[in-house]
PDB file of all heavy atoms in Angstrom:
ATOM      1  N   GLN A  68       1.066   4.149  12.738  1.00 60.00           N
ATOM      2  CA  GLN A  68       2.039   4.608  13.729  1.00 60.00           C
ATOM      3  C   GLN A  68       3.107   5.519  13.136  1.00 60.00           C
ATOM      4  O   GLN A  68       3.818   6.198  13.853  1.00 60.00           O
ATOM      5  CB  GLN A  68       2.706   3.406  14.400  1.00 60.00           C
ATOM      6  CG  GLN A  68       1.752   2.547  15.179  1.00 60.00           C
ATOM      7  CD  GLN A  68       2.405   1.279  15.684  1.00 60.00           C
ATOM      8  OE1 GLN A  68       3.601   1.096  15.565  1.00 60.00           O
ATOM      9  NE2 GLN A  68       1.609   0.400  16.262  1.00 60.00           N
ATOM     10  N   VAL A  69       3.256   5.495  11.828  1.00 55.00           N
ATOM     11  CA  VAL A  69       4.299   6.292  11.187  1.00 55.00           C
ATOM     12  C   VAL A  69       3.837   7.738  11.111  1.00 55.00           C
ATOM     13  O   VAL A  69       2.779   8.042  10.584  1.00 55.00           O
ATOM     14  CB  VAL A  69       4.622   5.750   9.781  1.00 55.00           C
ATOM     15  CG1 VAL A  69       5.631   6.647   9.066  1.00 55.00           C
ATOM     16  CG2 VAL A  69       5.150   4.336   9.870  1.00 55.00           C
ATOM     17  N   SER A  70       4.646   8.610  11.612  1.00 51.00           N
ATOM     18  CA  SER A  70       4.312  10.029  11.603  1.00 51.00           C
ATOM     19  C   SER A  70       4.690  10.640  10.259  1.00 51.00           C
ATOM     20  O   SER A  70       5.698  10.293   9.656  1.00 51.00           O
ATOM     21  CB  SER A  70       5.076  10.739  12.724  1.00 51.00           C
ATOM     22  OG  SER A  70       4.954  12.128  12.577  1.00 51.00           O
ATOM     23  N   VAL A  71       3.887  11.574   9.785  1.00 50.00           N
ATOM     24  CA  VAL A  71       4.179  12.269   8.538  1.00 50.00           C
ATOM     25  C   VAL A  71       5.459  13.079   8.683  1.00 50.00           C
ATOM     26  O   VAL A  71       6.198  13.282   7.721  1.00 50.00           O
ATOM     27  CB  VAL A  71       2.995  13.187   8.142  1.00 50.00           C
ATOM     28  CG1 VAL A  71       3.308  14.005   6.908  1.00 50.00           C
ATOM     29  CG2 VAL A  71       1.742  12.373   7.950  1.00 50.00           C
ATOM     30  N   ALA A  72       5.784  13.491   9.893  1.00 46.00           N
ATOM     31  CA  ALA A  72       6.969  14.305  10.125  1.00 46.00           C
ATOM     32  C   ALA A  72       8.264  13.490  10.039  1.00 46.00           C
ATOM     33  O   ALA A  72       9.335  14.057   9.907  1.00 46.00           O
ATOM     34  CB  ALA A  72       6.881  14.965  11.495  1.00 46.00           C
ATOM     35  N   THR A  73       8.178  12.173  10.088  1.00 53.00           N
ATOM     36  CA  THR A  73       9.368  11.337   9.992  1.00 53.00           C
ATOM     37  C   THR A  73       9.692  11.066   8.542  1.00 53.00           C
ATOM     38  O   THR A  73       8.976  11.482   7.641  1.00 53.00           O
ATOM     39  CB  THR A  73       9.174   9.990  10.720  1.00 53.00           C
ATOM     40  OG1 THR A  73       8.228   9.220   9.975  1.00 53.00           O
ATOM     41  CG2 THR A  73       8.715  10.173  12.151  1.00 53.00           C
ATOM     42  N   GLU A  74      10.742  10.323   8.310  1.00 58.00           N
ATOM     43  CA  GLU A  74      11.104   9.942   6.948  1.00 58.00           C
ATOM     44  C   GLU A  74      10.291   8.736   6.488  1.00 58.00           C
ATOM     45  O   GLU A  74      10.630   8.106   5.497  1.00 58.00           O
ATOM     46  CB  GLU A  74      12.594   9.638   6.883  1.00 58.00           C
ATOM     47  CG  GLU A  74      13.456  10.859   7.130  1.00 58.00           C
ATOM     48  CD  GLU A  74      14.932  10.527   7.068  1.00 58.00           C
ATOM     49  OE1 GLU A  74      15.293   9.338   7.207  1.00 58.00           O
ATOM     50  OE2 GLU A  74      15.712  11.449   6.879  1.00 58.00           O
ATOM     51  N   ALA A  75       9.250   8.392   7.201  1.00 60.00           N
ATOM     52  CA  ALA A  75       8.358   7.278   6.870  1.00 60.00           C
ATOM     53  C   ALA A  75       9.086   5.937   6.854  1.00 60.00           C
ATOM     54  O   ALA A  75       8.821   5.077   6.038  1.00 60.00           O
ATOM     55  CB  ALA A  75       7.634   7.521   5.559  1.00 60.00           C
ATOM     56  N   VAL A  76       9.999   5.768   7.779  1.00 63.00           N
ATOM     57  CA  VAL A  76      10.685   4.489   7.929  1.00 63.00           C
ATOM     58  C   VAL A  76       9.863   3.644   8.878  1.00 63.00           C
ATOM     59  O   VAL A  76       9.545   4.076   9.986  1.00 63.00           O
ATOM     60  CB  VAL A  76      12.115   4.675   8.489  1.00 63.00           C
ATOM     61  CG1 VAL A  76      12.784   3.341   8.729  1.00 63.00           C
ATOM     62  CG2 VAL A  76      12.929   5.543   7.546  1.00 63.00           C
ATOM     63  N   PRO A  77       9.461   2.419   8.459  1.00 63.00           N
ATOM     64  CA  PRO A  77       8.632   1.599   9.347  1.00 63.00           C
ATOM     65  C   PRO A  77       9.396   1.197  10.607  1.00 63.00           C
ATOM     66  O   PRO A  77      10.620   1.062  10.576  1.00 63.00           O
ATOM     67  CB  PRO A  77       8.293   0.371   8.499  1.00 63.00           C
ATOM     68  CG  PRO A  77       9.239   0.387   7.363  1.00 63.00           C
ATOM     69  CD  PRO A  77       9.762   1.761   7.211  1.00 63.00           C
ATOM     70  N   PRO A  78       8.690   1.010  11.703  1.00 67.00           N
ATOM     71  CA  PRO A  78       9.333   0.567  12.936  1.00 67.00           C
ATOM     72  C   PRO A  78      10.043  -0.771  12.707  1.00 67.00           C
ATOM     73  O   PRO A  78       9.577  -1.592  11.903  1.00 67.00           O
ATOM     74  CB  PRO A  78       8.171   0.400  13.918  1.00 67.00           C
ATOM     75  CG  PRO A  78       7.020   1.092  13.303  1.00 67.00           C
ATOM     76  CD  PRO A  78       7.262   1.169  11.837  1.00 67.00           C
ATOM     77  N   PRO A  79      11.173  -1.002  13.368  1.00 70.00           N
ATOM     78  CA  PRO A  79      11.947  -2.232  13.153  1.00 70.00           C
ATOM     79  C   PRO A  79      11.141  -3.510  13.340  1.00 70.00           C
ATOM     80  O   PRO A  79      11.381  -4.496  12.650  1.00 70.00           O
ATOM     81  CB  PRO A  79      13.062  -2.145  14.179  1.00 70.00           C
ATOM     82  CG  PRO A  79      13.119  -0.732  14.617  1.00 70.00           C
ATOM     83  CD  PRO A  79      11.777  -0.130  14.352  1.00 70.00           C
ATOM     84  N   GLU A  80      10.171  -3.513  14.233  1.00 70.00           N
ATOM     85  CA  GLU A  80       9.403  -4.733  14.484  1.00 70.00           C
ATOM     86  C   GLU A  80       8.507  -5.107  13.299  1.00 70.00           C
ATOM     87  O   GLU A  80       8.043  -6.233  13.195  1.00 70.00           O
ATOM     88  CB  GLU A  80       8.580  -4.640  15.767  1.00 70.00           C
ATOM     89  CG  GLU A  80       7.533  -3.548  15.778  1.00 70.00           C
ATOM     90  CD  GLU A  80       8.015  -2.207  16.294  1.00 70.00           C
ATOM     91  OE1 GLU A  80       9.223  -2.001  16.453  1.00 70.00           O
ATOM     92  OE2 GLU A  80       7.150  -1.344  16.538  1.00 70.00           O
ATOM     93  N   LEU A  81       8.289  -4.185  12.375  1.00 67.00           N
ATOM     94  CA  LEU A  81       7.480  -4.484  11.198  1.00 67.00           C
ATOM     95  C   LEU A  81       8.305  -5.025  10.035  1.00 67.00           C
ATOM     96  O   LEU A  81       7.762  -5.603   9.101  1.00 67.00           O
ATOM     97  CB  LEU A  81       6.732  -3.239  10.726  1.00 67.00           C
ATOM     98  CG  LEU A  81       5.606  -2.767  11.628  1.00 67.00           C
ATOM     99  CD1 LEU A  81       4.978  -1.508  11.060  1.00 67.00           C
ATOM    100  CD2 LEU A  81       4.550  -3.849  11.765  1.00 67.00           C
ATOM    101  N   SER A  82       9.606  -4.850  10.084  1.00 72.00           N
ATOM    102  CA  SER A  82      10.456  -5.267   8.964  1.00 72.00           C
ATOM    103  C   SER A  82      10.263  -6.725   8.558  1.00 72.00           C
ATOM    104  O   SER A  82      10.110  -7.009   7.362  1.00 72.00           O
ATOM    105  CB  SER A  82      11.924  -4.987   9.271  1.00 72.00           C
ATOM    106  OG  SER A  82      12.132  -3.596   9.332  1.00 72.00           O
ATOM    107  N   PRO A  83      10.254  -7.688   9.497  1.00 77.00           N
ATOM    108  CA  PRO A  83      10.050  -9.079   9.077  1.00 77.00           C
ATOM    109  C   PRO A  83       8.701  -9.293   8.375  1.00 77.00           C
ATOM    110  O   PRO A  83       8.636  -9.996   7.362  1.00 77.00           O
ATOM    111  CB  PRO A  83      10.122  -9.877  10.375  1.00 77.00           C
ATOM    112  CG  PRO A  83      10.899  -9.015  11.305  1.00 77.00           C
ATOM    113  CD  PRO A  83      10.550  -7.608  10.924  1.00 77.00           C
ATOM    114  N   ALA A  84       7.651  -8.693   8.877  1.00 73.00           N
ATOM    115  CA  ALA A  84       6.327  -8.868   8.261  1.00 73.00           C
ATOM    116  C   ALA A  84       6.285  -8.232   6.881  1.00 73.00           C
ATOM    117  O   ALA A  84       5.714  -8.796   5.943  1.00 73.00           O
ATOM    118  CB  ALA A  84       5.242  -8.261   9.153  1.00 73.00           C
ATOM    119  N   ILE A  85       6.910  -7.079   6.724  1.00 74.00           N
ATOM    120  CA  ILE A  85       6.933  -6.400   5.436  1.00 74.00           C
ATOM    121  C   ILE A  85       7.714  -7.234   4.423  1.00 74.00           C
ATOM    122  O   ILE A  85       7.263  -7.452   3.299  1.00 74.00           O
ATOM    123  CB  ILE A  85       7.539  -4.987   5.571  1.00 74.00           C
ATOM    124  CG1 ILE A  85       6.600  -4.092   6.387  1.00 74.00           C
ATOM    125  CG2 ILE A  85       7.820  -4.377   4.195  1.00 74.00           C
ATOM    126  CD1 ILE A  85       7.201  -2.778   6.803  1.00 74.00           C
ATOM    127  N   GLU A  86       8.881  -7.713   4.830  1.00 77.00           N
ATOM    128  CA  GLU A  86       9.695  -8.529   3.937  1.00 77.00           C
ATOM    129  C   GLU A  86       8.950  -9.792   3.517  1.00 77.00           C
ATOM    130  O   GLU A  86       8.957 -10.169   2.340  1.00 77.00           O
ATOM    131  CB  GLU A  86      11.013  -8.900   4.610  1.00 77.00           C
ATOM    132  CG  GLU A  86      11.941  -7.719   4.777  1.00 77.00           C
ATOM    133  CD  GLU A  86      13.151  -8.049   5.628  1.00 77.00           C
ATOM    134  OE1 GLU A  86      13.409  -9.244   5.898  1.00 77.00           O
ATOM    135  OE2 GLU A  86      13.853  -7.101   6.018  1.00 77.00           O
ATOM    136  N   GLN A  87       8.297 -10.443   4.452  1.00 76.00           N
ATOM    137  CA  GLN A  87       7.561 -11.668   4.131  1.00 76.00           C
ATOM    138  C   GLN A  87       6.401 -11.390   3.196  1.00 76.00           C
ATOM    139  O   GLN A  87       6.133 -12.148   2.261  1.00 76.00           O
ATOM    140  CB  GLN A  87       7.066 -12.341   5.407  1.00 76.00           C
ATOM    141  CG  GLN A  87       8.208 -12.948   6.201  1.00 76.00           C
ATOM    142  CD  GLN A  87       7.748 -13.480   7.540  1.00 76.00           C
ATOM    143  OE1 GLN A  87       6.677 -13.137   8.029  1.00 76.00           O
ATOM    144  NE2 GLN A  87       8.568 -14.316   8.143  1.00 76.00           N
ATOM    145  N   ALA A  88       5.695 -10.304   3.430  1.00 77.00           N
ATOM    146  CA  ALA A  88       4.552  -9.967   2.581  1.00 77.00           C
ATOM    147  C   ALA A  88       5.020  -9.724   1.141  1.00 77.00           C
ATOM    148  O   ALA A  88       4.402 -10.217   0.190  1.00 77.00           O
ATOM    149  CB  ALA A  88       3.828  -8.728   3.119  1.00 77.00           C
ATOM    150  N   PHE A  89       6.108  -8.999   0.989  1.00 74.00           N
ATOM    151  CA  PHE A  89       6.622  -8.754  -0.353  1.00 74.00           C
ATOM    152  C   PHE A  89       7.121 -10.022  -1.019  1.00 74.00           C
ATOM    153  O   PHE A  89       6.933 -10.222  -2.207  1.00 74.00           O
ATOM    154  CB  PHE A  89       7.701  -7.681  -0.354  1.00 74.00           C
ATOM    155  CG  PHE A  89       7.141  -6.288  -0.274  1.00 74.00           C
ATOM    156  CD1 PHE A  89       7.367  -5.503   0.835  1.00 74.00           C
ATOM    157  CD2 PHE A  89       6.366  -5.769  -1.305  1.00 74.00           C
ATOM    158  CE1 PHE A  89       6.843  -4.234   0.919  1.00 74.00           C
ATOM    159  CE2 PHE A  89       5.839  -4.504  -1.236  1.00 74.00           C
ATOM    160  CZ  PHE A  89       6.068  -3.723  -0.113  1.00 74.00           C
ATOM    161  N   ARG A  90       7.776 -10.904  -0.246  1.00 76.00           N
ATOM    162  CA  ARG A  90       8.216 -12.182  -0.810  1.00 76.00           C
ATOM    163  C   ARG A  90       7.024 -12.996  -1.292  1.00 76.00           C
ATOM    164  O   ARG A  90       7.051 -13.583  -2.375  1.00 76.00           O
ATOM    165  CB  ARG A  90       9.024 -12.976   0.219  1.00 76.00           C
ATOM    166  CG  ARG A  90      10.477 -12.590   0.235  1.00 76.00           C
ATOM    167  CD  ARG A  90      11.257 -13.596   1.078  1.00 76.00           C
ATOM    168  NE  ARG A  90      12.058 -12.823   1.987  1.00 76.00           N
ATOM    169  CZ  ARG A  90      11.960 -12.801   3.307  1.00 76.00           C
ATOM    170  NH1 ARG A  90      11.110 -13.566   3.922  1.00 76.00           N
ATOM    171  NH2 ARG A  90      12.737 -12.046   4.038  1.00 76.00           N
ATOM    172  N   LEU A  91       5.969 -13.049  -0.478  1.00 73.00           N
ATOM    173  CA  LEU A  91       4.780 -13.816  -0.860  1.00 73.00           C
ATOM    174  C   LEU A  91       4.137 -13.222  -2.103  1.00 73.00           C
ATOM    175  O   LEU A  91       3.754 -13.962  -3.016  1.00 73.00           O
ATOM    176  CB  LEU A  91       3.775 -13.820   0.294  1.00 73.00           C
ATOM    177  CG  LEU A  91       4.111 -14.707   1.484  1.00 73.00           C
ATOM    178  CD1 LEU A  91       3.130 -14.445   2.620  1.00 73.00           C
ATOM    179  CD2 LEU A  91       4.087 -16.158   1.093  1.00 73.00           C
ATOM    180  N   LEU A  92       4.019 -11.914  -2.149  1.00 72.00           N
ATOM    181  CA  LEU A  92       3.393 -11.282  -3.304  1.00 72.00           C
ATOM    182  C   LEU A  92       4.245 -11.458  -4.563  1.00 72.00           C
ATOM    183  O   LEU A  92       3.700 -11.639  -5.654  1.00 72.00           O
ATOM    184  CB  LEU A  92       3.165  -9.793  -3.022  1.00 72.00           C
ATOM    185  CG  LEU A  92       2.120  -9.503  -1.956  1.00 72.00           C
ATOM    186  CD1 LEU A  92       2.123  -8.009  -1.617  1.00 72.00           C
ATOM    187  CD2 LEU A  92       0.739  -9.939  -2.404  1.00 72.00           C
ATOM    188  N   ALA A  93       5.546 -11.448  -4.420  1.00 67.00           N
ATOM    189  CA  ALA A  93       6.429 -11.580  -5.569  1.00 67.00           C
ATOM    190  C   ALA A  93       6.412 -12.980  -6.155  1.00 67.00           C
ATOM    191  O   ALA A  93       6.563 -13.171  -7.348  1.00 67.00           O
ATOM    192  CB  ALA A  93       7.860 -11.204  -5.182  1.00 67.00           C
ATOM    193  N   ARG A  94       6.201 -13.978  -5.314  1.00 66.00           N
ATOM    194  CA  ARG A  94       6.236 -15.357  -5.780  1.00 66.00           C
ATOM    195  C   ARG A  94       4.958 -15.795  -6.451  1.00 66.00           C
ATOM    196  O   ARG A  94       4.952 -16.679  -7.283  1.00 66.00           O
ATOM    197  CB  ARG A  94       6.518 -16.301  -4.612  1.00 66.00           C
ATOM    198  CG  ARG A  94       7.946 -16.218  -4.183  1.00 66.00           C
ATOM    199  CD  ARG A  94       8.224 -17.256  -3.158  1.00 66.00           C
ATOM    200  NE  ARG A  94       9.642 -17.214  -2.841  1.00 66.00           N
ATOM    201  CZ  ARG A  94      10.246 -18.113  -2.149  1.00 66.00           C
ATOM    202  NH1 ARG A  94       9.576 -19.145  -1.685  1.00 66.00           N
ATOM    203  NH2 ARG A  94      11.527 -18.020  -1.900  1.00 66.00           N
ATOM    204  N   GLU A  95       3.843 -15.260  -6.033  1.00 53.00           N
ATOM    205  CA  GLU A  95       2.540 -15.734  -6.554  1.00 53.00           C
ATOM    206  C   GLU A  95       1.976 -14.824  -7.578  1.00 53.00           C
ATOM    207  O   GLU A  95       2.125 -13.841  -7.902  1.00 53.00           O
ATOM    208  CB  GLU A  95       1.561 -15.939  -5.408  1.00 53.00           C
ATOM    209  CG  GLU A  95       2.007 -16.955  -4.409  1.00 53.00           C
ATOM    210  CD  GLU A  95       2.332 -18.329  -4.977  1.00 53.00           C
ATOM    211  OE1 GLU A  95       1.606 -18.810  -5.856  1.00 53.00           O
ATOM    212  OE2 GLU A  95       3.332 -18.914  -4.568  1.00 53.00           O
TER     213      GLU A  95
END
Side-chain angles (χ1 to χ4, degrees):
Q68 297 173 7
V69 175
S70 169
V71 176
T73 70
E74 294 180 340
V76 176
E80 62 271 12
L81 290 179
S82 293
I85 292 169
E86 290 171 13
Q87 289 174 343
F89 281 114
R90 275 191 229 116
L91 286 172
L92 292 172
R94 286 187 176 191
E95 299 305 319

